[in-house]
């Protein structure tokens, strides 16, 4: 099975940009940016992704989001957004 993986944390690290700097650049609250950087994110807001991509001059969405193959067993394990 495939799931979406948000690669924002990696992009920020590669570009040497902090979450606070991205907040200033994009107008997206740092708390939301932080949530997007955490693994296991269940939902995303496309408007926020658009703002972040525009502020980072990203035109290929695969730089921020990709499909990742996971074993079915991994899907049964709780993520950081679910109660244990």
């Amino acid at each position: 099975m495939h799931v979406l993986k948000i690669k924002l944390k990696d992009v920020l690290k590669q570009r040497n940009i902090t979450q606070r700097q991205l907040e200033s650049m994009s107008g997206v609250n740092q708390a939301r940016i932080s949530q997007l950087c955490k693994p296991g994110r269940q939902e995303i807001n496309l408007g926020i992704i658009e703002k972040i991509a525009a502020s980072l001059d990203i035109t290929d969405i695969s730089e921020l989001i990709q499909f990742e193959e996971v074993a079915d067993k991994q899907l049964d394990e709780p993520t950081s957004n679910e109660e244990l």
Side-chain angles (χ1 to χ4, degrees):
M1 170 169 256
H2 288 84
V3 295
L4 280 177
K5 177 185 177 190
I6 301 170
K7 303 187 299 184
L8 181 57
K9 184 176 182 179
D10 297 332
V11 170
L12 293 177
K13 186 175 181 179
Q14 290 170 353
R15 295 179 183 213
N16 200 28
I17 297 173
T18 67
Q19 291 180 13
R20 288 280 184 207
Q21 288 170 320
L22 182 57
E23 177 183 45
S24 295
M25 295 165 60
S26 66
V28 175
N29 184 287
Q30 186 271 329
R32 288 185 182 232
I33 293 168
S34 176
Q35 289 296 314
L36 288 170
C37 288
K38 292 180 180 177
R41 182 76 180 153
Q42 295 289 320
E43 297 177 5
I44 58 172
N45 179 304
L46 292 179
I48 289 173
I49 295 295
E50 287 174 348
K51 287 180 182 181
I52 289 172
S55 67
L56 295 173
D57 199 28
I58 292 175
T59 57
D60 182 353
I61 197 64
S62 68
E63 288 184 55
L64 280 178
I65 300 172
Q66 75 179 32
F67 274 117
E68 185 175 80
E69 190 168 351
V70 296
D72 289 336
K73 182 178 176 163
Q74 285 179 312
L75 294 176
D76 294 335
E77 296 174 3
T79 63
S80 60
N81 293 338
E82 297 176 343
E83 295 286 329
L84 294 177

